[in-house]
Amino acid sequence: MINYATTNVSPIRKLQLQAKSRNPLLYYFGLLTLAGAVVCGVMILTTSGQILGINAYIKPFKFFISISILSFTLTWLLVYLKNQRTVKIYSWVTVLTLVLELVIITGQAAKGKLSHFNTSTPFDIALFNAMGIAILIFTLWTLSITVRFFRQKDFPLWMSDGYKWGIRMGFLFFVIFAFEGGQMAALLRHSIGGEDGSAGLPLVNWSRTSGDLRVAHFFGMHSLQLLPLIGYYFFPKKTTLIIMAFTWLGFVVLLYWQALKGFPLIP
């Protein structure tokens, strides 16, 4: 393996090379979805079609960005598991399930139709159900990976206790709030106390008139980025990291409670 610390390349290039060597499949998938976000950004600027009062390509743009961040995060973190055969299978599960979701979301946007909660026709229902099945498969596999991180005691690369527990808690909270998406699917809406498509915050479009389950969903799932980062850079001790993790969880649960009560994040 190349010692990137001694090669004559920039820090950013070193980071890219390390990420690519850790998990090439997810690394390139992250680049592909990032390119997809750029394309959607161009479509936002050059098209006028709308869904629920906003440009049709805003939703696929957000999903491409979010999945790109997820892909790069998994690229970096999965190397710490000893069972790399399982990691390879999980990597392919991640790519295949999330590609299906992106294709459906973008295809429906191009037709000016809702992708989520769309029960207008049997075909729309089939697409929505296909996304639900794909995400359930991905989430259950992620739960399996989470269990492996908790059960594994020794890691192939050195990690501080805070970083190790940041990864564990990040995966755990990610899975918990991924399952929250199932509640929205069951309700066929993300708004509580109002209608989907009401006035929302810029870009994220979280409702300003009612509770919105997407807020806790967003902050909970991005625990996978936040907790490992703070464990690595700020809280190297296990006890401190766990206190911070449960403080963060309390904040996200409060956001969830706020949405259930029908209160917007920002009126």
Side-chain angles (χ1 to χ4, degrees):
M1 182 178 291
I2 299 173
N3 184 356
Y4 299 110
T6 61
T7 54
N8 188 25
V9 294
S10 69
I12 293 178
R13 182 57 177 161
K14 288 178 183 178
L15 188 63
Q16 290 176 326
L17 291 171
Q18 288 185 42
K20 180 180 175 182
S21 68
R22 287 180 175 220
N23 194 316
L25 176 62
L26 289 177
Y27 173 77
Y28 283 115
F29 185 53
L31 292 179
L32 179 63
T33 48
L34 184 60
V38 172
V39 172
C40 288
V42 172
M43 297 300 291
I44 291 170
L45 297 175
T46 58
T47 63
S48 58
Q50 293 192 343
I51 300 174
L52 294 180
I54 62 171
N55 188 282
Y57 287 94
I58 287 180
K59 183 169 185 175
F61 171 79
K62 292 189 295 183
F63 271 80
F64 272 108
I65 285 288
S66 181
I67 289 174
S68 180
I69 293 171
L70 173 63
S71 298
F72 288 131
T73 302
L74 294 176
T75 295
W76 196 261
L77 297 181
L78 293 176
V79 73
Y80 297 114
L81 286 179
K82 290 181 177 180
N83 190 338
Q84 285 297 299
R85 182 178 179 275
T86 297
V87 167
K88 289 180 180 179
I89 297 172
Y90 174 65
S91 299
W92 275 108
V93 169
T94 298
V95 170
L96 295 175
T97 55
L98 297 185
V99 162
L100 177 62
E101 182 176 38
L102 289 172
V103 167
I104 294 174
I105 290 172
T106 308
Q108 291 289 75
K111 294 188 292 184
K113 302 177 71 174
L114 287 170
S115 52
H116 290 74
F117 321 135
N118 189 340
T119 58
S120 301
T121 69
F123 183 67
D124 292 323
I125 294 173
L127 291 179
F128 179 44
N129 288 339
M131 284 195 298
I133 293 169
I135 293 305
L136 178 61
I137 291 170
F138 166 70
T139 304
L140 290 174
W141 261 94
T142 306
L143 176 60
S144 172
I145 292 295
T146 303
V147 171
R148 289 179 183 275
F149 267 110
F150 273 92
R151 294 181 64 182
Q152 184 170 306
K153 304 303 180 184
D154 300 317
F155 291 82
L157 299 175
W158 181 87
M159 306 164 68
S160 69
D161 286 341
Y163 184 35
K164 183 189 306 179
W165 279 92
I167 294 172
R168 287 170 171 169
M169 302 304 284
F171 268 102
L172 178 61
F173 295 171
F174 176 91
V175 169
I176 290 172
F177 287 96
F179 278 120
E180 187 212 345
Q183 180 183 13
M184 290 183 264
L187 294 172
L188 292 178
R189 59 167 54 204
H190 51 73
S191 298
I192 303 294
E195 297 296 325
D196 290 356
S198 58
L201 297 173
L203 189 60
V204 292
N205 203 41
W206 297 334
S207 178
R208 300 188 65 175
T209 61
S210 60
D212 198 322
L213 295 170
R214 294 176 299 177
V215 180
H217 188 62
F218 174 87
F219 284 103
M221 292 184 69
H222 283 289
S223 301
L224 187 56
Q225 287 78 42
L226 176 67
L227 296 182
L229 279 174
I230 67 173
Y232 185 88
Y233 286 107
F234 302 109
F235 303 107
K237 294 184 178 180
K238 171 185 174 181
T239 302
T240 312
L241 185 282
I242 289 179
I243 291 172
M244 293 305 301
F246 278 100
T247 301
W248 173 253
L249 178 62
F251 166 70
V252 180
V253 169
L254 182 61
L255 293 175
Y256 178 64
W257 173 86
Q258 180 183 30
L260 289 178
K261 291 298 182 180
F263 299 123
L265 179 65
I266 300 176

